Amino acid sequence: CIMMSLLLACNANKNISKDSVPSDVVSLCPDDGICKFEVLENKKFGLKTDEFGNGYSELVSGDKTVLKFTYDRTTMPNVKDGNYSEIIYIEIENKTSSIKLQDKAIGAVKAGFSRICYCKGQTGTFPIKVGSLILTKLEDDSYQLIFDFTVTEVPQIIKSINEAFILK
């Protein structure tokens, strides 16, 4: 028993650096919901418009990588049409290097914001044109994304994303 305790104690003191990338990091998520960050390789993000002029997102197979951040607000029980979600899409080149973009230059990475709810006249997908996007390559295949943004077309809850991830 003493030997087993010593072995476990030795393993418990591993160094974890600030730059290590957790496999499932969720940051800056409101307490009233669940957030998810996904790295979708070999995809393309498209912003389409329907016959009524409403924007919607489209993910298709392609030669890019799409970073997808989803916020789903917890639905109150016994409330009809109470679902609320926000999805942020960022399309980047595969094996990209570091990027720093401000406001209109964000268009270079195709960033979009989707608001999905029963909010008459205030739903859809919109291009993100105002903000600051910093994508830093850390080591090997790991990256840090810091994205602060605003959409002017609809109200938003998520205004900032800070995620570490790996591109293979």
Side-chain angles (χ1 to χ4, degrees), residues 3-32:
M3 285 300 283
M4 188 62 123
S5 296
L6 288 173
L7 286 172
L8 289 174
C10 289
N11 284 335
N13 197 13
K14 291 182 180 176
N15 289 333
I16 300 175
S17 79
K18 268 183 149 178
D19 293 335
S20 65
V21 179
S23 60
D24 189 24
V25 176
V26 175
S27 65
L28 307 173
C29 188
D31 293 337
D32 67 345

Side-chain angles (χ1 to χ4, degrees), residues 114-162:
S114 292
R115 184 173 195 242
I116 305 163
C117 58
Y118 186 69
C119 313
K120 292 183 181 183
Q122 295 186 328
T123 62
T125 302
F126 308 91
I128 298 173
K129 300 175 188 171
V130 178
S132 169
L133 185 143
I134 301 170
L135 181 66
T136 307
K137 185 167 178 149
L138 301 173
E139 55 186 52
D140 297 329
D141 296 329
S142 62
Y143 292 83
Q144 180 72 39
L145 170 68
I146 300 171
F147 189 27
D148 299 307
F149 62 96
T150 304
V151 290
T152 56
E153 296 86 352
V154 293
Q156 72 186 92
I157 294 172
I158 302 299
K159 296 180 179 187
S160 185
I161 300 171
N162 187 340

Side-chain angles (χ1 to χ4, degrees), residues 61-92:
S61 294
D63 59 350
K64 310 277 184 182
T65 296
V66 176
L67 308 176
K68 180 180 174 186
F69 184 91
T70 306
Y71 161 65
D72 289 315
R73 186 172 59 200
T74 305
T75 305
M76 294 172 28
N78 302 322
V79 174
K80 287 186 178 183
D81 300 323
N83 296 335
Y84 183 91
S85 297
E86 292 182 0
I87 305 170
I88 295 87
Y89 300 94
I90 304 165
E91 180 187 277
I92 60 173

Side-chain angles (χ1 to χ4, degrees), residues 91-103:
E91 180 187 277
I92 60 173
E93 296 290 331
N94 291 334
K95 299 292 183 185
T96 192
S97 58
S98 296
I99 301 171
K100 187 173 183 178
L101 303 170
Q102 187 75 32
D103 294 332

